């Protein structure tokens, strides 16, 4: 297996993990914040929102998934370009919108669907480029 | 709508700045030797000693809290695709700060993402 092929496979694997963690994390955060209600932009309002998020279990599970996302992201950018990893991670938009429709029962119109599809195709185009364009990286040991 | 837009700008600045700093730090750390627990532990231990990684943390925390607020103000299907504008700012940052070679194909992909984001924002009238 060539170096580039191995690089693509391990980057794809890490990006898939990123997408799963980010989507589940975002979904759980959204659900938690909907339980808390709209944040009032005043001192007491922000303080109340902060306390409410600390006491919300759904938000904590969401945070765990987002920590998983961050670790996967840190690993991926240790060998691949930032301008490759981040757009590649947007493959999750389609999944995210589907989850928003199915689980949160949000209404998504055709125009917004077209936007999401364009984003995903743009990301696919970026995904065809070489994952790493900077000089060889050291190995953490 | 203006309130959501301003919070979105704050989110993008924190998010992209944090991610660029994090990437710079992780490039200094280097990739894990393999995916065995001991090697991964060494990798994480080296990462937490890197100054750029610590510089990225408060920016990412700012992005996280502004995203929480955005979630309470707008539907998930608006907030998440709209935050894709990160890719445009991030690509400029990658090219000029991280010195990555951004090819025409990669730029085309970014432009498509931009158009997609614009379409999503148009439907975000509230």
């Amino acid at each position: 297996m060539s170096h580039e092929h191995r690089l693509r496979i391990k980057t794809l694997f890490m990006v898939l993990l990123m997408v799963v963690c980010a989507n589940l994390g975002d979904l759980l955060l959204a659900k938690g914040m909907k339980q808390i209600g709209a944040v009032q932009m005043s001192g007491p309002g922000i303080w109340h929102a902060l306390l409410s998020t600390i006491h919300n279990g759904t938000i904590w599970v969401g945070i765990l998934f987002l920590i998983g996302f961050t670790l996967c992201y840190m690993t991926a950018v240790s060998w691949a370009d930032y301008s490759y990893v981040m757009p590649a991670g947007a493959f999750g938009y389609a999944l995210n919108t589907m989850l928003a429709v199915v689980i949160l029962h949000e209404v998504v119109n055709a125009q917004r669907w077209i936007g999401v599809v364009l984003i995903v195709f743009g990301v696919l185009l970026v995904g065809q480029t070489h994952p790493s364009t900077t000089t060889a990286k050291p190995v953490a040991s | 709508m203006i309130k959501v837009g301003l919070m979105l700008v704050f989110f993008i600045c924190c998010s992209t700045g944090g991610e660029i700093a994090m990437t710079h730090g992780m490039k200094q750390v280097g990739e894990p030797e393999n995916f065995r627990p001991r090697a991964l532990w060494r990798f994480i231990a080296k990462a937490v000693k890197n100054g750029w990684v610590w510089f990225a943390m408060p920016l990412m925390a700012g992005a996280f809290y502004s995203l929480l607020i955005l979630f309470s103000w707008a539907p998930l299907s608006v907030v998440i695709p709209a935050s894709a504008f990160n890719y445009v700012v991030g690509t400029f940052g990658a090219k000029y700060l991280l010195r990555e070679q951004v090819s025409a194909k990669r730029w085309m992909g970014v432009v498509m993402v931009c158009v997609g984001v614009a379409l999503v924002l148009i439907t975000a009238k509230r």
Side-chain angles (χ1 to χ4, degrees):
Chain A
M1 190 186 289
S2 70
H3 173 70
E4 187 180 334
H5 190 57
R6 208 174 57 206
L7 186 69
R8 275 188 194 280
I9 286 177
K10 70 178 182 180
T11 306
L12 179 68
F13 175 73
M14 209 46 79
V15 167
L16 281 175
L17 271 180
M18 276 170 56
V19 165
V20 169
C21 286
N23 276 305
L24 284 173
D26 286 343
L27 183 74
L28 290 167
L29 285 186
K31 200 161 186 156
M33 289 309 288
K34 291 277 188 287
Q35 289 166 359
I36 288 168
V39 176
Q40 301 299 315
M41 288 306 282
S42 62
I46 291 171
W47 181 246
H48 177 261
L50 191 65
L51 287 178
S52 301
T53 55
I54 288 169
H55 291 104
N56 188 295
T58 311
I59 287 178
W60 278 110
V61 180
I63 288 170
L64 280 179
F65 275 105
L66 290 181
I67 289 171
F69 160 78
T70 306
L71 288 175
C72 293
Y73 168 76
M74 286 167 75
T75 310
V77 294
S78 72
W79 65 64
D81 284 356
Y82 168 67
S83 59
Y84 182 93
V85 172
M86 279 310 286
F91 275 118
Y93 281 119
L95 178 64
N96 218 324
T97 306
M98 291 291 285
L99 289 174
V101 171
V102 173
I103 297 173
L104 297 179
H105 306 295
E106 287 182 7
V107 178
V108 178
N109 63 22
Q111 206 169 2
R112 203 176 296 172
W113 275 118
I114 293 167
V116 171
V117 168
L118 269 175
I119 290 167
V120 171
F121 273 101
V123 166
L124 279 171
L125 208 58
V126 172
Q128 288 175 5
T129 61
H130 195 281
S132 178
T133 61
T134 49
T135 50
K137 290 98 194 162
V139 173
S141 56
Chain B
M1 184 61 194
I2 291 171
K3 187 171 76 166
V4 172
L6 284 175
M7 190 55 79
L8 204 56
V9 168
F10 179 75
F11 164 70
I12 288 167
C13 289
C14 285
S15 176
T16 308
E19 284 162 4
I20 285 176
M22 178 68 79
T23 303
H24 186 63
M26 292 314 294
K27 287 283 188 285
Q28 291 175 346
V29 169
E31 63 182 275
E33 208 172 341
N34 52 56
F35 291 98
R36 292 194 182 98
R38 185 177 281 190
L40 286 176
W41 182 249
R42 271 202 303 266
F43 171 71
I44 293 170
K46 199 174 173 189
V48 297
K49 287 178 192 164
N50 187 283
W52 282 101
V53 170
W54 282 106
F55 179 71
M57 293 296 181
L59 289 172
M60 288 176 137
F64 171 74
Y65 270 102
S66 53
L67 189 63
L68 282 186
I69 292 169
L70 278 166
F71 277 141
S72 77
W73 285 352
L76 180 71
S77 49
V78 169
V79 176
I80 295 298
S83 66
F85 193 64
N86 271 335
Y87 298 116
V88 183
V89 184
T91 305
F92 276 106
K95 185 175 170 63
Y96 295 107
L97 298 175
L98 299 173
R99 307 284 178 204
E100 290 176 6
Q101 291 168 30
V102 183
S103 65
K105 194 184 250 187
R106 201 174 277 189
W107 273 120
M108 273 171 66
V110 170
V111 169
M112 283 182 78
V113 169
C114 258
V115 176
V117 168
L119 276 174
V120 168
L121 282 175
I122 286 168
T123 61
K125 285 177 186 167
R126 293 163 68 84

